[in-house]
């Protein structure tokens, strides 16, 4: 379950990273809090090369389609460097959430709050990214 949730949120991050970002190599740090987890989840850091295609348009608030998923982005709002939206899914599991953040040419900061029926509380995630330079 933890792995599936992490992969789902990671896919959202990749589709949600680029309203105004410049192409290049980015380092992402993700901090997740899952109520009821037996231990605190450590922060995860990854690097990803973003191409011009990855950062075109309003992708900061769009989620790429996931296999077997019916997730929808609702109530998108982009105002300057700030963005927010709601997400609603019934497959592969019921999930509703709120996302808000800021983006610049070289940084991203995003806070997500996800609600899943039966969970002991909302799952929260903070994602930050910074451009390290050109892709290698």
């Amino acid at each position: 379950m933890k792995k599936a949730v992490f992969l789902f949120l990671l896919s959202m991050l990749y589709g949600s990273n680029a309203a105004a970002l410049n192409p290049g190599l980015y380092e992402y740090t993700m901090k997740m809090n899952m109520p009821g987890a037996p231990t605190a989840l450590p922060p995860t850091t990854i690097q990803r090369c973003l191409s011009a295609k990855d950062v075109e348009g309003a992708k900061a608030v769009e989620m790429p389609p996931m296999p077997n998923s019916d997730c929808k982005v609702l109530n998108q709002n982009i105002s300057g460097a700030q963005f927010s939206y709601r997400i609603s899914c019934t497959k592969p599991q019921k999930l509703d959430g709120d996302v808000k953040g800021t983006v610049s040419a070289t940084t991203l900061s995003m806070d997500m709050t996800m609600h899943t029926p039966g969970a002991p509380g909302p799952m929260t995630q903070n994602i930050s990214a910074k451009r390290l330079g050109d892709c290698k």
Side-chain angles (χ1 to χ4, degrees):
M1 167 79 173
K2 260 197 282 188
K3 183 177 179 183
V5 169
F6 177 75
L7 292 173
F8 170 75
L9 293 173
L10 192 58
S11 74
M12 286 183 58
L13 165 68
Y14 287 158
S16 304
N17 58 7
L21 290 175
N22 291 331
L25 180 63
Y26 283 81
E27 181 174 86
Y28 292 88
T29 301
M30 294 163 272
K31 300 174 187 171
M32 186 183 305
N33 179 21
M34 291 180 69
T39 61
L41 300 171
T44 302
T45 301
I46 63 167
Q47 290 185 358
R48 179 168 186 250
C49 180
L50 299 178
S51 69
K53 185 176 179 179
D54 293 328
V55 298
E56 71 187 7
K59 290 186 179 178
V61 295
E62 295 173 2
M63 188 178 77
M66 290 178 36
N68 304 316
S69 173
D70 68 350
C71 296
K72 296 185 182 358
V73 174
L74 310 167
N75 303 326
Q76 294 180 6
N77 184 23
I78 304 171
S79 179
Q82 298 190 11
F83 63 89
S84 64
Y85 61 93
R86 290 192 47 76
I87 185 165
S88 181
C89 309
T90 61
K91 296 178 188 174
Q93 68 184 45
K94 174 78 172 131
L95 180 121
D96 293 299
D98 295 295
V99 180
K100 63 180 180 176
T102 58
V103 64
S104 74
T106 59
T107 63
L108 169 89
S109 178
M110 182 183 335
D111 292 310
M112 306 167 74
T113 303
M114 303 294 180
H115 304 273
T116 303
M123 177 178 57
T124 59
Q125 185 173 41
N126 171 270
I127 300 167
S128 61
K130 62 181 176 183
R131 189 175 189 276
L132 300 177
D134 293 335
C135 297
K136 298 174 179 165

